[in-house]
Amino acid sequence: MTQPRPATATAITTLATTTTATTATDTTAITAAATGPRSLDDRLRSALASGALPALAGAAPVDRRDRFLTLLQIHDLHTAPLEVVGDAARHQGHPVVAELKLRLESDWLAELDLAWATAGRLDEATTPERAVIAMRSVAARDRLPAAYRWLADTADWEQLVQFLALEGGPDGGFDDLVAVCQLGLVGSAKLELAQNYWDEMGNGDPDAVHTVLHDQLVRAVGMPHIPREQLPVEALERAALGGLLATNRWLQPEMLGALGLLELQAGPRCRLVLKALDRLGAPAGAYPFYVEHAEVDPRHGKDWVEKAIAPTVADHPDWGPRIIKGAWWRSTVNLAFFERLRQDLLPGVEEPAA
């Protein structure tokens, strides 16, 4: 087995660190603060620290990036570890914060629903059988993006590490999202999400908890932490979708679909990551996280659809199209993220047909 070796600067490193770049619609909060209107993200951070939130009443983001950085900061007030968010968490229900959250999310939901309008007859999934078929159809839409095939067959070591840092693994915060999603569910669906959560917890083995395995991966490959401000806007939107679903109780059906899609797609993608690790001679500590997901997630995906979604739709037929809508939303933001990677990393390589 060959040892991992450093590589020259790559396109993906450039994507992560110079995403401030060239267009007026894709500037970072730092650039906006220096050359134009002060970003809403920065203004909110200052207001949360000082308590001067009324000054933000009616404020608007300077661009799409600023919208998602602001929403991620608001979602942190609800879902981030308390030692991270600190005393600012007391403001999560402040009227100005609540109005800002509602306004920014409403604009975003309108965009997501425009994407859903292209889904065709998937909105007819009002029976368990139709919902299962529709979920599998959406999962096939972007199951193996070109970026993963490039990773398995072509990427060098530095590109692999930077890709994994950007992609974030199949379950960044997934355990907490499952915990939120099970609220109020009953019967088979409740049990399936509980089993899924227990698997995330390593079935009681502290060393096998999935977040612990990911920390081990980070140390083994020297994975960098990429600050939000340096992420592509598509990555910000992808990250914010979990917060959108977790902090809006009324979106529980959409959340059930979005998380189910993640489970359906993680297994095949993780197998390609393992192929890349083998090809590049990765250290032993890099493997357990992706081995676990490659082996377990195909079962998770099957059980999530058959034991959580199908019974839920049987009890609530009107939830069926909404569950599929949530999966479609997740697929849509995934496609945008991987298309951004493809354009920057793989010019001339087309995505596989859905």
Side-chain angles (χ1 to χ4, degrees):
M1 180 175 288
T2 60
Q3 291 300 310
R5 59 189 184 279
T8 58
T10 64
I12 198 162
T13 304
T14 302
L15 175 62
T17 58
T18 64
T19 188
T20 57
T22 55
T23 69
T25 59
D26 193 29
T27 55
T28 64
I30 294 173
T31 301
T35 63
R38 187 181 177 196
S39 71
L40 181 56
D41 171 57
D42 185 51
R43 293 173 63 193
L44 175 61
R45 184 174 295 103
S46 297
L48 288 171
S50 67
L53 288 162
L56 291 183
V62 298
D63 55 23
R64 187 174 178 82
R65 167 181 296 282
D66 193 25
R67 174 209 285 179
F68 291 118
L69 285 170
T70 301
L71 280 175
L72 284 165
Q73 190 179 168
I74 293 173
H75 294 159
D76 284 347
L77 301 177
H78 297 258
T79 63
L82 194 57
E83 63 268 22
V84 174
V85 71
D87 289 343
R90 72 177 64 187
H91 298 303
Q92 72 175 56
H94 191 285
V96 171
V97 175
E99 188 279 332
L100 178 60
K101 180 178 186 292
L102 176 63
R103 180 159 42 87
L104 297 187
E105 288 180 342
S106 295
D107 291 343
W108 184 19
L109 284 166
E111 296 169 6
L112 290 171
D113 277 341
L114 284 176
W116 172 239
T118 69
R121 298 181 62 182
L122 292 177
D123 62 356
E124 298 176 0
T126 55
T127 67
E129 296 77 16
R130 288 180 179 178
V132 169
I133 292 171
M135 279 295 300
R136 297 194 180 281
S137 174
V138 177
R141 185 180 180 220
D142 66 331
R143 189 186 305 275
L144 292 177
Y148 277 97
R149 295 181 285 112
W150 163 83
L151 193 74
D153 299 329
T154 306
D156 63 30
W157 178 256
E158 185 185 15
Q159 290 170 327
L160 167 68
V161 172
Q162 290 289 339
F163 177 91
L164 296 181
L166 277 170
E167 200 276 343
D171 65 338
F174 188 78
D175 50 356
D176 288 343
L177 295 177
V178 173
V180 172
C181 191
Q182 63 81 37
L183 290 173
L185 296 180
V186 298
S188 176
K190 186 89 163 187
L191 291 173
E192 176 52 33
L193 268 65
Q195 179 60 60
N196 189 293
Y197 183 82
W198 192 234
D199 285 348
E200 292 286 329
M201 295 296 103
N203 293 293
D205 179 359
D207 293 332
V209 172
H210 289 191
T211 50
V212 173
L213 296 180
H214 191 267
D215 290 342
Q216 179 182 339
L217 164 71
V218 169
R219 291 191 300 270
V221 304
M223 187 184 300
H225 169 70
I226 302 174
R228 282 176 181 169
E229 290 77 14
Q230 295 180 5
L231 289 172
V233 67
E234 294 85 357
L236 297 175
E237 181 174 15
R238 189 167 177 256
L241 184 64
L244 170 73
L245 299 174
T247 62
N248 286 280
R249 188 74 178 85
W250 67 280
L251 292 176
Q252 185 176 21
E254 287 80 359
M255 189 178 192
L256 192 62
L259 297 185
L261 185 76
L262 194 157
E263 291 286 23
L264 283 168
Q265 294 181 327
R269 293 176 179 179
C270 289
R271 286 193 289 274
L272 290 183
V273 175
L274 288 172
K275 183 179 178 182
L277 295 176
D278 284 342
R279 179 174 58 81
L280 294 167
Y287 281 86
F289 178 77
Y290 280 102
V291 167
E292 173 70 13
H293 287 284
E295 293 177 351
V296 172
D297 281 350
R299 172 175 61 81
H300 280 177
K302 180 176 184 295
D303 288 348
W304 193 288
V305 169
E306 296 178 359
K307 297 179 182 180
I309 290 177
T312 299
V313 176
D315 292 340
H316 306 284
D318 57 314
W319 279 31
R322 294 183 58 190
I323 289 170
I324 307 307
K325 180 194 287 190
W328 189 265
W329 286 352
R330 173 72 192 194
S331 177
T332 297
V333 299
N334 276 350
L335 284 167
F337 173 71
F338 288 114
E339 174 61 15
R340 174 67 182 267
L341 293 188
R342 187 192 67 78
Q343 291 176 3
D344 285 271
L345 296 172
L346 312 167
V349 176
E350 296 299 326
E351 288 287 358

